[in-house]
Amino acid sequence: MKTIQQNFAVQFRYGVHFTEDLFSKDNELFLDVLPQNAAAHQRKVLFVVDKGVADANPTLLEQITAYTAAHAGVLKQLASPVVIAGGEEAKNDPDLLQQLLAAVNDYGVCRHSYLVAIGGGAVLDLVGFAAAIAHRGIRHIRIPTTVLSQNDSGVGVKNGVNSFGKKNFIGTFAPPVAVINDSNFLQTLEDRDWRAGISEAVKVALIKDAKFYKKIKEDAQKLVNRDMEAMQQLIYRCAELHVEHIGGADPFEFGSSRPLDFGHWAAHKLEQMTDYRLRHGEAVAVGIALDVVYSRLKGMITEKDCNNVLDLLQTLGFDLFVPELTHKEQSGQLTIVRGLNEFREHLGGKLTIMLLTGIGAGVEVNHMEEALISEAVKTLKQKHQPQKLSQV
Amino acid sequence: MKTIQQNFAVQFRYGVHFTEDLFSKDNELFLDVLPQNAAAHQRKVLFVVDKGVADANPTLLEQITAYTAAHAGVLKQLASPVVIAGGEEAKNDPDLLQQLLAAVNDYGVCRHSYLVAIGGGAVLDLVGFAAAIAHRGIRHIRIPTTVLSQNDSGVGVKNGVNSFGKKNFIGTFAPPVAVINDSNFLQTLEDRDWRAGISEAVKVALIKDAKFYKKIKEDAQKLVNRDMEAMQQLIYRCAELHVEHIGGADPFEFGSSRPLDFGHWAAHKLEQMTDYRLRHGEAVAVGIALDVVYSRLKGMITEKDCNNVLDLLQTLGFDLFVPELTHKEQSGQLTIVRGLNEFREHLGGKLTIMLLTGIGAGVEVNHMEEALISEAVKTLKQKHQPQKLSQV
Ligand SMILES: NC(=O)c1ccc[n+]([C@@H]2O[C@H](COP(=O)([O-])OP(=O)(O)OC[C@H]3O[C@@H](n4cnc5c(N)ncnc54)[C@H](O)[C@@H]3O)[C@@H](O)[C@H]2O)c1
Ligand SMILES: NC(=O)c1ccc[n+]([C@@H]2O[C@H](COP(=O)([O-])OP(=O)(O)OC[C@H]3O[C@@H](n4cnc5c(N)ncnc54)[C@H](O)[C@@H]3O)[C@@H](O)[C@H]2O)c1
Ligand SMILES: [Zn+2]
Ligand SMILES: [Zn+2]
């Protein structure tokens, strides 16, 4: 009997919106992004809020409830906002996923309701996953509250939780209905969270956009001084580059190529090795430094470009070395090198790593030399640890 | 700042293949359906087998291992086949999902490996879900072994497990890489599983294809006598209609319309009310009978057409009445009617139910009258229970 061929395309659309003070009563953006639903006048929503955000904004929960009440004609809050632990804990604790699914069940959140997540990248990843699997997919809105989630993690199509000690072992590709970046949330960030996300902007500038890199360089001091205008520009361009890349190539990553994961093979391993003492963005800064020095040692970029990047990262306040970089396996191999194998395993089959041939110019390679990685680690240690110590 | 618009389409393609004796060494279909992977000569596979199938085919596991060994140049079995409980139990027991995810982790199943499920619809739904969420999606191949899974559940894009006492509360839309229907598996089915899937063919014929309905009617006696040729034709056409429908309309069900769920609002509720004593296909037969009588009571179809359908279902051996149809809530409302609300809730917003205006002609309505449902239940009880008893 002849094979029956299935063949269809699914279209995904969403906007990344920018605003300030989203839940002030006269701000209508939130209403605008909920697609008109012919079936029901009231759109049902359940908010899930990062505890870190709720603690830093003591009136937020009331504000949300007042906002939905003020717009009761079109919005129906199914229950008071659910507050959950923020940070990597959110992705490490399987009970939190169960709690969210139970909330979906208890409060009657259906496939045409909205599960709205407000928080850092970790909370968004967890809530996004719950939304993706409950009822085979509830409509999901992301309101990222950190630099990293506003310029990278929150604007993409992935979610996930950690399992078996592995980052994002479980997750899906599931585009949101909308992303809303409210700059006000950034005010309450600790300095390290203000800073951490900047590394993702450096990352994408380095592989794709020399002009953007130059702009970050010019604005570095402003960024350090928490200049909101400079940060907003950085977030916008970084988000735009991520959105373009995801939409243009292979959104659901069926292939092995992962350009946006420049610097990430080491970063993911370091997050795990440091038991998440390092934030994702901090680990990415180290990972970028390592791959930049490696690119230099391979003769792919000039010494000048290499130093330019390392200087920028340090000006921004990143540590480029952590002791875990030198940890060794019993075999004598650097533990970090196992990150390469894990990255390969996660991708499947062929290792595909992004390196640089210049600022703004990435290139993919399928192999990295252990001896040179080791050399790059030494370079980072020599060059930067003393400097770091003297900063303390 | 201007909204950044994301907009992309993801293309999904897979074939539903038909064969016999898939794992005999000279059958190359299995090799053909694994897409060539430039990255690796050997394609890594892990098989998961329904215990019901393994028990009924005592040499199957050896056969699989011999097959992969014989094709070691292109296939690498990551571990011996994993055998898991079949039937609804597979979807009710959360430990089984955890066991599958642990196997993915332990055996290094990556995003470019294949998780191959062999089993009935329940096992396929469970393994498909595990494949969809591990590493954000492992390549998945379905080898359905029941009539229902070969002609309906296995050829579509949905997976799922039960939670909070609700069917498919958790799941995703995740097309497989390929579906392989091996008719040999059908030999070992119990009569009730041979029969159960036929109701899905009656369903899709009734709403879409009068000619197919006629063919089922003609072949009814052959089907009852387990004529494999007639069954193969039924499976092929039913699978084709399902594949066409899914590919043509709204594959990931973003809207509220669910034509293929004709007869299913009551079926889902009855499965739950009978604690899965009824097979899905058996419950669907009752659900079809109910909605056909309802369509008649509404004056949408003729008495003749109505009786024609009821007769066919009975000839095929289905019970059209189960005592649970008459169960009542404390309020006096038929419990089954709550299935309507749950169906509405699952869809979200607007109730959309398929009814008939003729054989081969479905029509969607947004409301059903409780009094007429109650009347339809009475009709089924009067008309068919005595008949059923006299058959015993
Ligand atoms: N899905 C993706 O595509 C993707 C991409 C990159 C990173 N990520 C993930 O994102 C996570 C990191 O996200 P992150 O850097 O946003 O950190 P985070 O989510 O871990 O948050 C860091 C801390 O900041 C707190 N916080 C958040 N917003 C705040 C605010 N406005 N004011 C005060 N405190 C606030 C949180 O409670 C937490 O304690 C990692 O798990 C990473 O894997 C996902
Ligand atoms: N994903 C979808 O789109 C979709 C659509 C329809 C139904 N379903 C689901 O499919 C499930 C029902 O599937 P089903 O009707 O195939 O029943 P099933 O999977 O429950 O299997 C019934 C019994 O048959 C046994 N069995 C399976 N194959 C056998 C074989 N070849 N020989 C001997 N025994 C065998 C099983 O072990 C089990 O005990 C339900 O959970 C239903 O919700 C899913
Ligand atoms: Zn990152
Ligand atoms: Zn069905």
Side-chain angles (χ1 to χ4, degrees), chain B residues 115-279:
Chain B
L115 195 62
V116 185
I118 303 178
V123 163
L124 299 186
D125 273 0
L126 166 66
V127 182
F129 181 58
I133 63 171
H135 294 303
R136 297 201 183 103
I138 293 166
R139 295 177 179 182
H140 177 46
I141 292 181
R142 301 198 199 115
I143 303 179
T145 59
T146 61
V147 171
L148 185 123
S149 54
Q150 291 198 355
N151 74 4
D152 176 347
S153 91
V155 306
V157 296
K158 298 195 255 184
N159 56 53
V161 295
N162 309 330
S163 204
F164 305 106
K166 291 189 182 156
K167 260 205 76 107
N168 303 323
F169 183 79
I170 290 172
T172 70
F173 291 85
V177 163
V179 180
I180 306 175
N181 280 344
D182 180 341
S183 59
N184 270 4
F185 283 117
L186 307 180
Q187 309 280 10
T188 57
L189 288 174
E190 282 179 36
D191 278 349
R192 68 182 296 200
D193 287 307
W194 171 276
R195 177 194 308 123
I198 301 175
S199 64
E200 300 281 9
V202 173
K203 167 201 80 178
V204 72
L206 280 175
I207 59 172
K208 282 182 181 273
D209 187 345
K211 210 175 124 198
F212 182 36
Y213 180 83
K214 218 173 134 219
K215 171 81 176 145
I216 302 174
K217 191 98 189 172
E218 280 166 21
D219 286 354
Q221 219 32 261
K222 288 191 191 166
L223 290 167
V224 171
N225 298 331
R226 296 192 68 144
D227 178 309
M228 187 58 88
E229 175 66 23
M231 182 55 98
Q232 283 303 98
Q233 289 175 10
L234 175 131
I235 287 175
Y236 191 91
R237 182 60 186 151
C238 182
E240 193 172 42
L241 284 165
H242 277 84
V243 166
E244 273 170 19
H245 178 86
I246 292 168
D250 177 17
F252 288 2
E253 298 177 3
F254 296 133
S256 294
S257 170
R258 299 266 283 268
L260 293 179
D261 274 354
F262 173 56
H264 276 57
W265 68 268
H268 285 153
K269 189 69 193 168
L270 285 174
E271 282 182 83
Q272 185 202 317
M273 286 172 73
T274 61
D275 224 348
Y276 304 102
R277 183 189 79 235
L278 288 186
R279 292 274 200 270

Side-chain angles (χ1 to χ4, degrees), chain A residues 129-346:
Chain A
F129 181 58
I133 63 172
H135 294 304
R136 299 202 183 103
I138 293 165
R139 296 178 179 182
H140 177 46
I141 292 181
R142 300 198 199 115
I143 304 180
T145 59
T146 61
V147 171
L148 187 122
S149 54
Q150 291 200 354
N151 74 5
D152 176 348
S153 90
V155 306
V157 295
K158 299 196 254 186
N159 57 52
V161 296
N162 309 330
S163 204
F164 306 107
K166 291 186 183 157
K167 256 198 87 97
N168 302 323
F169 183 79
I170 290 171
T172 70
F173 291 85
V177 164
V179 181
I180 305 176
N181 281 343
D182 180 341
S183 59
N184 270 4
F185 283 117
L186 307 179
Q187 309 279 9
T188 57
L189 288 175
E190 283 181 35
D191 278 348
R192 68 181 299 198
D193 287 307
W194 171 276
R195 177 195 306 123
I198 302 176
S199 64
E200 300 280 8
V202 174
K203 168 202 80 178
V204 73
L206 279 174
I207 59 172
K208 282 182 179 273
D209 187 345
K211 209 176 123 198
F212 182 37
Y213 180 83
K214 220 174 132 218
K215 172 80 175 147
I216 302 174
K217 191 96 188 175
E218 280 166 19
D219 285 354
Q221 220 30 264
K222 287 192 193 166
L223 291 166
V224 171
N225 297 332
R226 297 191 68 142
D227 179 309
M228 188 57 90
E229 174 65 25
M231 181 56 97
Q232 283 303 97
Q233 289 176 10
L234 175 131
I235 287 174
Y236 191 91
R237 182 61 185 150
C238 183
E240 192 173 42
L241 284 165
H242 278 84
V243 166
E244 274 171 18
H245 179 86
I246 291 167
D250 177 17
F252 289 2
E253 296 178 1
F254 295 135
S256 293
S257 171
R258 299 266 282 267
L260 293 179
D261 273 355
F262 173 55
H264 277 57
W265 68 268
H268 285 154
K269 189 70 192 166
L270 285 174
E271 282 182 84
Q272 183 201 320
M273 287 172 71
T274 62
D275 225 347
Y276 303 102
R277 182 188 79 236
L278 288 186
R279 290 276 200 271
H280 178 72
E282 294 167 341
V284 168
V286 179
I288 292 173
L290 189 70
D291 283 352
V292 164
V293 173
Y294 183 96
S295 298
R296 164 72 197 123
L297 293 172
K298 270 297 249 187
M300 296 164 68
I301 58 166
T302 63
E303 174 111 38
K304 189 165 156 253
D305 280 351
C306 174
N307 287 333
N308 189 308
V309 179
L310 301 183
D311 286 352
L312 172 59
L313 291 171
Q314 287 189 303
T315 304
L316 292 167
F318 288 109
D319 289 337
L320 303 188
F321 179 81
V322 287
E324 283 81 359
L325 277 174
T326 57
H327 283 191
K328 287 189 171 154
E329 301 290 281
Q330 289 211 321
S331 64
Q333 192 186 46
L334 283 177
T335 302
I336 190 86
V337 169
R338 287 181 53 192
L340 269 184
N341 296 329
E342 285 166 18
F343 197 67
R344 179 193 347 247
E345 195 180 274
H346 185 68

